[in-house]
Amino acid sequence: MRAGLHVFGDDEESRETLQERLVVLSRVMFFSFIVVIVGMVALYASYWWLKPPGQNYIYWISVVGLGLLTVIWRGFLVRRKLSLQTLHAIDLLYMVGTGAVLASAAYIAGETFVVSGWINLLWTCFTIFLRTIIVPSTGKRTAIIGVGLFVPMLAAVIGLSSNRVDVAPDRWMYGLPPAGFISGAIVVAAVVIVLSSIGSRLIYGLRRQVSEATRLGQYTLGEKIGEGGNGSVYRAHHALLRRPTAIKVVHPDKVGADTLQRFEREVQAMSRLTHWNTVAVYDYGNSSSGVFYYAMEYLDGINLETLVIDHGLLPADRVIAILTQVCAALSEAHRRGIIHRDIKPANVILCERGDVPDVAKVVDFGLAKEIDSSSQDTTHSILGTPAYLAPEAVTDPAAIGPGADIYALGAVGYFLLTGRRVFEAKTTVEMCVMHVTATPKPPSQMTTKRIPPELEALILRCLEKSPSQRPASAAELAKLLRAIPPAADWSEDEAVQWWSDFRLLPKQPASSMPTLTISVDLAARVEDPPGQDQPPAW
């Protein structure tokens, strides 16, 4: 491998990183040169007797160098995708070119302004240190580029010293004989090159460690796109595959190391789900640090919670279409013995697939909710989203079945139609008790928008306390949804237009109703202290 050919990661990642950093270096160098030029003009305007005879040549050389820098920066680095080899050539050109400009200024001004050699040597030192901080590079490459930067300056120093070999000692540069000035410049250059090379090697190593820390298996993590109670979701890419991917990272300190093995078993089951309304799982594994992760298809859409909050209540026909698709995903999962156990608006993503609008994708199968029913008393530890918990999930967590998902889906439909949760409470414990004992208000009483009676009746049926009174299965619920007469308040053309407008909106981070751990004692019904675990107000 050639020195510095790879910044870190694969070639494409190295190329992107190096181009981004060269853009930053160009910007800093541009404004630094502007400051230097303006400073020279101001200096010689105030102290005109110090102005060297060839100062105008220095101005022209500086302007030409500044112009070349601007062309490379704005014309190539910002506008074009350059190869890694081209970027390395620009990196070298920047340093050699800067060294040539500073050396020319030192030589031209040095005859009358004797400190010019030292000043420009100092600027050369600043330049190599600036590059070390900004541009990721191996120590070897930094050393090579440092030599290219200092060679013109050392040539200028030798040229200035040769002009003073026969002058009187009081005309030597700062009282130094020519040999002393040359050797001093060489020592300064050598020390600076060594220090910058060591700095590059250390910074490069730290960047590699950070890069490796963001890798899970063959995946490299990008920006965070979501966060839930058990972990975070990142956009990612595979080292070989180029398809968009999302990675969910489950941290042991959030769920307990003993549950990671169960998560792995459930992801294995999830990977067998093939329905197009279920998010596709590509891969899973454990990192060396014990972090469990799984890779799934990247959904560039909007979750139902954010959809309602940001865009308002949904028309009845759109709600029916979405719930029907979720039923299809749940039906396959239930047939395979998988219960979602955390159906909520934030876990249903609406997106486009194959130019088809309003495609619903169910995410987080089996991972968002842990129920521990090992206790022998009346206190159950429940991990879930209180606003969408079925009554049996509170009273007898060990007995939950597909009916719990149907109840939660009814609560999702209630939210889509009204913008409100089925029950509002001051504490999570009170909300759980209401799921067990309270009767929900009909959706039509919670909004001024028209809701078809058949849809309202079906939503309320899904919210029955007893699983036996709800639709017997997700497939039956889908059949009942399709039988509801159309309200004619949403069409395919409207869906296409909605997504066309949505693509033009700035992207915002998706909101998420947190998954909480609570303790419920149904015998005593002890509520949480005021202000603790209160659900967010709408």
Side-chain angles (χ1 to χ4, degrees):
M1 184 188 301
R2 293 191 296 275
L5 180 61
H6 297 286
V7 179
F8 38 74
D10 55 30
D11 281 351
E12 178 58 23
E13 182 183 7
S14 299
R15 190 205 63 76
E16 290 179 357
T17 301
L18 183 55
Q19 185 157 349
E20 290 173 359
R21 294 308 178 90
L22 286 176
V23 169
V24 175
L25 180 64
S26 301
R27 184 184 302 114
V28 175
M29 289 178 62
F30 177 84
F31 288 108
S32 297
F33 273 126
I34 292 293
V35 170
V36 171
I37 294 173
V38 171
M40 284 193 298
V41 173
L43 172 67
Y44 295 131
S46 301
Y47 305 95
W48 55 268
W49 60 89
L50 295 177
K51 183 177 180 180
Q55 184 61 32
N56 289 336
Y57 291 110
I58 296 177
Y59 288 148
W60 278 111
I61 293 172
S62 300
V63 169
V64 171
L66 197 62
L68 180 61
L69 170 63
T70 304
V71 169
I72 296 175
W73 170 29
R74 304 302 302 179
F76 292 90
L77 289 173
V78 173
R79 299 179 181 276
R80 302 184 185 182
K81 179 179 178 180
L82 304 178
S83 68
L84 200 58
Q85 290 75 12
T86 301
L87 294 172
H88 282 304
I90 291 175
D91 184 20
L92 179 60
L93 177 62
Y94 272 0
M95 295 299 103
V96 174
T98 301
V101 170
L102 294 174
S104 300
Y107 185 80
I108 293 172
E111 284 297 317
T112 55
F113 191 35
V114 293
V115 296
S116 177
W118 290 111
I119 291 175
N120 284 282
L121 182 61
L122 184 61
W123 275 108
T124 306
C125 297
F126 288 160
T127 301
I128 190 64
F129 284 138
L130 177 66
R131 180 199 172 273
T132 300
I133 294 171
I134 296 178
V135 179
S137 173
T138 61
K140 182 178 179 180
R141 179 171 178 81
T142 296
I144 294 172
I145 286 182
V147 171
L149 174 66
F150 276 99
V151 163
M153 178 57 64
L154 294 177
V157 168
I158 293 172
L160 286 172
S161 299
S162 65
N163 295 337
R164 295 177 176 271
V165 172
D166 299 326
V167 302
D170 61 346
R171 294 284 294 165
W172 287 343
M173 297 238 176
Y174 270 82
L176 290 175
F181 181 52
I182 294 173
S183 60
I186 291 175
V187 169
V188 170
V191 170
V192 169
I193 290 174
V194 170
L195 291 178
S196 60
S197 299
I198 294 173
S200 277
R201 186 179 54 156
L202 293 175
I203 296 174
Y204 181 80
L206 290 174
R207 283 173 174 148
R208 286 189 64 88
Q209 292 177 21
V210 171
S211 177
E212 291 170 0
T214 60
R215 289 180 179 275
L216 294 172
Q218 294 297 311
Y219 297 92
T220 299
L221 304 187
E223 72 275 16
K224 182 186 291 187
I225 56 178
E227 188 166 7
N230 293 330
S232 304
V233 181
Y234 298 84
R235 188 167 186 172
H237 70 268
H238 192 274
L240 300 176
L241 304 177
R242 295 301 177 187
R243 62 188 175 190
T245 304
I247 295 281
K248 179 160 186 179
V249 178
V250 182
H251 299 283
D253 58 343
K254 289 190 175 183
V255 298
D258 57 331
T259 64
L260 293 182
Q261 189 175 23
R262 180 187 65 82
F263 281 156
E264 186 170 352
R265 290 197 304 269
E266 291 183 347
V267 173
Q268 289 176 348
M270 282 176 58
S271 64
R272 297 195 302 269
L273 299 177
T274 59
H275 198 278
W276 52 87
N277 291 121
T278 301
V279 63
V281 174
Y282 301 145
D283 197 3
Y284 59 90
N286 289 81
S287 71
S288 57
S289 59
V291 174
F292 178 80
Y293 69 93
Y294 65 97
M296 54 189 168
E297 64 176 313
Y298 174 72
L299 303 175
D300 188 14
I302 184 171
N303 70 57
L304 296 184
E305 182 180 1
T306 304
L307 176 64
V308 172
I309 293 174
D310 292 350
H311 301 275
L313 305 182
L314 273 58
D317 284 348
R318 194 179 192 188
V319 172
I320 292 172
I322 292 172
L323 296 183
T324 302
Q325 294 181 72
V326 177
C327 284
L330 291 176
S331 180
E332 183 202 21
H334 292 168
R335 287 198 308 273
R336 295 181 181 272
I338 301 173
I339 303 170
H340 190 290
R341 300 183 296 180
D342 197 29
I343 290 292
K344 59 182 179 180
N347 280 344
V348 179
I349 310 296
L350 209 60
C351 57
E352 291 180 294
R353 279 293 183 269
D355 294 330
V356 176
D358 275 3
V359 175
K361 291 278 189 174
V362 181
V363 302
D364 273 0
F365 265 90
L367 295 182
K369 184 167 177 285
E370 164 73 4
I371 298 177
D372 181 5
S373 58
S374 59
S375 176
Q376 299 301 313
D377 56 21
T378 59
T379 300
H380 306 293
S381 292
I382 303 170
L383 181 64
T385 307
Y388 301 92
L389 282 177
E392 61 270 25
V394 179
T395 58
D396 189 8
I400 65 169
D405 285 345
I406 292 176
Y407 182 95
L409 188 55
V412 169
Y414 194 102
F415 172 78
L416 299 180
L417 292 169
T418 67
R420 299 174 64 87
R421 295 172 291 186
V422 177
F423 299 111
E424 301 289 345
K426 295 180 179 179
T427 66
T428 54
V429 172
E430 182 183 349
M431 180 176 289
C432 289
V433 172
M434 292 180 73
H435 279 296
V436 176
T437 61
T439 300
K441 295 182 179 179
S444 59
Q445 297 181 15
M446 308 301 292
T447 178
T448 58
K449 297 190 69 171
R450 182 184 179 277
I451 300 176
E454 297 86 351
L455 177 58
E456 179 176 77
L458 186 55
I459 293 293
L460 292 175
R461 182 180 170 188
C462 291
L463 296 174
E464 288 287 349
K465 305 302 180 187
S466 171
S468 63
Q469 295 179 303
R470 304 168 199 157
S473 65
E476 180 184 336
L477 177 56
K479 183 178 180 180
L480 294 172
L481 286 166
R482 287 192 292 267
I484 296 175
D489 55 5
W490 187 253
S491 66
E492 184 175 352
D493 289 341
E494 288 176 298
V496 170
Q497 184 60 50
W498 189 93
W499 281 98
S500 178
D501 296 338
F502 175 76
R503 287 192 296 270
L504 300 177
L505 297 176
K507 298 299 181 182
Q508 297 181 354
S511 60
S512 177
M513 189 76 70
T515 299
L516 303 175
T517 302
I518 60 174
S519 295
V520 179
D521 187 344
L522 290 178
R525 293 189 181 177
V526 177
E527 296 188 354
D528 295 336
Q532 297 294 317
D533 291 328
Q534 292 188 13
W538 290 88

